[in-house]
Amino acid sequence: MRRVTLPSWPSWMPIEPFIVALVATVGLAALFPAKGAAAPVADGASTFAIALLFFLYGARLSSREALAGLSHWRLHLTVVLSTFAVFPLLGLAARGLVPYVLTPQLYTGFVYLCILPSTIQSSIAFTSIARGNVSAAICAGTYSALLGMVVTPVLAGLLLHSSGAGFSAHGLADIALQLLAPFLAGQLLRRWIGGFVARHKKVLSLVDRSSILFVVYTAFSEGMVHGIWHQVTAARLSALLGVEAVLLGLVLCLTSVASRRLGFSRADRTAIVFCGSKKSLANGLPMASVLFGGHAGLMILPLMLFHQMQLMVCAVIAKRWSHDSTDADGGGEGSLPSERSSPDAQARPVHA
């Protein structure tokens, strides 16, 4: 009898385990939402989880490393403009798709996605794989996360105040109390607890992700109680995926072309493309819970879909660029690896 071999999922198109956990959490909230007497308990626990999450962010951040990276200000400014100017403008341009392609609620979540800061971990990982400027990627992601705690709420107030998303000026005070205050406390205590945080990085990473999962459970539970999921159909979700694919493609092209026109080296262009094209799930989920409260369920759906899409697409790009040998030294004025690739070239490791 002939043995049948099932096709395996390609290694260059990753499904992050955390995304699987998020989907499972959404399913749990759909089947067993926190309601009645359990709702205020879950809400209070979610608030604590968010504060703990940002306290740990503050305890991890090295102010010395962040200040040391300021010398490469042109690169960081380019990433910031892509993250907090280009993305929001593209989000506003999608307003014409409502209500024909996107519902008003999904459009609000789409704009929220566009005003979030960039990622840190995945930007560094893909920049390293593609043999780019890893130290610049570390600093760019850090600056974006710091700015996001101020810029994202301000942009939300400017762009989402009339969307019916539940955002109000009171959300700014909540951001200061629930996000900035714990973050600053973590920074102030880093001198004494920084070593402990570094030694227990893996365990605390599980605490991070568990906190985010609980925030997602609470947000989607409230959505179930308010009946908002009856407004989303499979056709609308498919349309949202198509719009997000166009958004990601445009930003990848714009960052690549702009960084070339500005005269950056190949290594710096790589960092700009990967840092300037991503949005942070870790920051976006808890921030949405603070800003939108019971309306956060639909607000984070576009972000969850975009996060997995950016991982898949950027993994393919990084893998391709890693095999290019044309600009192996990172200082030439030739094309990016995506424009001229050599499949037989061997990638050299990059050290942060």
Side-chain angles (χ1 to χ4, degrees):
M1 184 175 178
R2 188 175 182 180
R3 186 175 181 180
V4 178
T5 302
L6 295 176
S8 59
W9 189 266
S11 60
W12 45 265
M13 188 177 288
I15 292 292
E16 190 181 20
F18 187 52
I19 291 294
V20 178
L22 283 172
V23 173
T25 302
V26 172
L28 181 65
L31 294 174
F32 306 102
K35 55 185 178 180
V41 176
D43 186 62
S46 176
T47 300
F48 173 78
I50 292 171
L52 175 62
L53 189 67
F54 279 82
F55 174 80
L56 292 175
Y57 286 167
R60 288 193 189 100
L61 178 65
S62 171
S63 303
R64 187 187 310 172
E65 291 179 1
L67 292 174
L70 286 175
S71 60
H72 213 347
W73 64 269
R74 288 179 65 245
L75 183 149
H76 303 312
L77 180 60
T78 304
V79 173
V80 166
L81 289 176
S82 174
T83 304
F84 296 116
V86 174
F87 259 108
L89 288 174
L90 292 174
L92 291 177
R95 184 68 179 84
L97 300 176
V98 180
Y100 312 104
V101 179
L102 300 176
T103 65
Q105 293 82 6
L106 289 179
Y107 171 70
T108 300
F110 181 77
V111 174
Y112 174 67
L113 155 72
C114 291
I115 63 178
L116 287 172
S118 180
T119 62
I120 299 179
Q121 289 90 346
S122 61
S123 295
I124 295 170
F126 291 135
T127 300
S128 177
I129 291 171
R131 297 181 292 110
N133 190 336
V134 178
S135 59
I138 294 173
C139 292
T142 300
Y143 299 147
S144 181
L146 290 174
L147 283 173
M149 282 189 284
V150 177
V151 175
T152 294
V154 171
L155 289 177
L158 294 173
L159 304 181
L160 303 179
H161 62 89
S162 61
S163 65
F167 176 82
S168 65
H170 182 65
L172 294 176
D174 289 340
I175 284 288
L177 180 64
Q178 296 185 42
L179 305 186
L180 284 178
F183 177 85
L184 292 176
Q187 273 284 283
L188 291 174
L189 295 175
R190 189 178 187 278
R191 177 179 179 183
W192 295 279
I193 66 174
F196 175 85
V197 170
R199 289 192 303 270
H200 299 84
K201 184 177 180 180
K202 290 185 177 180
V203 175
L204 293 178
S205 177
L206 293 176
V207 174
D208 281 357
R209 299 202 165 199
S210 299
S211 299
I212 293 173
L213 291 176
F214 194 84
V215 170
V216 170
Y217 171 78
T218 305
F220 276 80
S221 289
E222 292 189 31
M224 288 297 298
V225 172
H226 290 90
I228 62 175
W229 299 112
H230 297 294
Q231 307 169 27
V232 184
T233 64
R236 292 292 190 180
L237 287 179
S238 298
L240 174 62
L241 282 171
V243 173
E244 291 189 338
V246 172
L247 173 68
L248 181 58
L250 283 174
V251 175
L252 286 169
C253 290
L254 288 172
T255 51
S256 179
V257 172
S259 60
R260 171 177 295 281
R261 293 292 179 86
L262 292 172
F264 287 101
S265 68
R266 181 261 176 197
D268 288 348
R269 295 200 305 271
T270 301
I272 289 171
V273 168
F274 286 124
C275 294
S277 62
K278 291 193 183 55
K279 291 297 179 177
S280 174
L281 185 76
N283 285 2
L285 293 180
M287 198 174 291
S289 181
V290 175
L291 289 175
F292 306 115
H295 300 267
L298 278 180
M299 299 304 105
I300 61 180
L301 187 58
L303 172 59
M304 290 171 61
L305 296 176
F306 186 84
H307 178 79
Q308 183 59 39
M309 183 183 297
Q310 71 184 10
L311 288 181
M312 288 183 171
V313 173
C314 290
V316 175
I317 295 173
K319 193 69 178 278
R320 182 180 178 185
W321 288 5
S322 71
H323 291 296
D324 186 88
S325 60
T326 303
D327 291 326
D329 293 331
E333 296 299 323
S335 61
L336 274 172
S338 60
E339 296 160 354
R340 288 190 299 175
S341 62
S342 173
D344 298 324
Q346 296 296 321
R348 295 184 300 191
V350 175
H351 301 283

